[in-house]
Amino acid sequence: MSRLAIRPATIADLAALRAVFDAAYAQARADIADLPDVTGGLADDLVQQTCFAALWDGAIVGGLVLGLHGDHAHLVNVAVSPDHGGRGVAKALIGAAEDACRAAGLHELRLATHVKMPQNVAIYGRLGWIETGRDDRKVMMVKRLTTDKGAT
């Protein structure tokens, strides 16, 4: 049986998710001066957006914020505790987001990541995302979804 579970996140998860997001972004905050705040609006997100928590043996080790916007969705933020990286947590969270989009009848998922975080671009690329543009701060990406979970 898998040690990983994904479930909807609630406001009761705020402290644990804030700790995960802070830990996940600690190095990036040290390296990237213009990195946007990643936890400031988390309480509002948990109430207003579609959010998921990743649990490893019952403890929250990851989180994802998804905004549903009419004809598409926006992956607002995803973070995994550094000590749980490489275990498929981000992939599982993104899979849950894709499932939520399909359930809402949406066929496109968008995101923006910081241009100084090329590892994110590489990870998303391996998961089927396509770069659609970039500027001096952001790399924009999209993933087109089909109704078949296995296809993109």
Side-chain angles (χ1 to χ4, degrees):
M1 180 165 190
S2 176
R3 300 171 68 174
L4 176 64
I6 306 295
R7 65 161 171 76
T10 69
I11 194 68
D13 299 320
L14 178 61
L17 286 171
R18 186 171 281 143
V20 166
F21 278 72
D22 284 341
Y25 281 95
Q27 188 62 53
R29 268 196 302 276
D31 296 341
I32 304 170
D34 64 345
L35 188 71
D37 180 15
V38 295
T39 59
L42 189 55
D44 290 338
D45 289 338
L46 287 166
V47 174
Q48 300 169 2
Q49 306 286 0
T50 300
C51 300
F52 296 97
L55 290 84
W56 192 272
D57 289 340
I60 293 178
V61 298
L64 182 141
V65 178
L66 180 67
L68 304 178
H69 305 286
D71 67 340
H72 73 279
H74 182 81
L75 189 117
V76 177
N77 208 338
V78 62
V80 175
S81 176
D83 58 344
H84 283 79
R87 298 182 186 187
V89 177
K91 182 178 180 179
L93 283 164
I94 292 169
E98 292 174 7
D99 289 346
C101 290
R102 288 185 190 95
L106 303 178
H107 302 285
E108 186 173 279
L109 187 51
R110 302 175 187 173
L111 67 79
T113 189
H114 202 284
V115 72
K116 293 181 181 175
M117 298 176 87
Q119 69 281 9
N120 287 1
V121 176
I123 290 168
Y124 291 124
R126 286 193 300 273
L127 295 176
W129 293 74
I130 298 166
E131 184 175 330
T132 59
R134 64 173 60 215
D135 60 27
D136 60 329
R137 291 184 63 221
K138 294 180 183 177
V139 177
M140 284 66 74
M141 302 184 82
V142 66
K143 184 165 186 184
R144 301 224 180 350
L145 306 172
T146 66
T147 55
D148 176 13
K149 188 175 178 178
T152 56

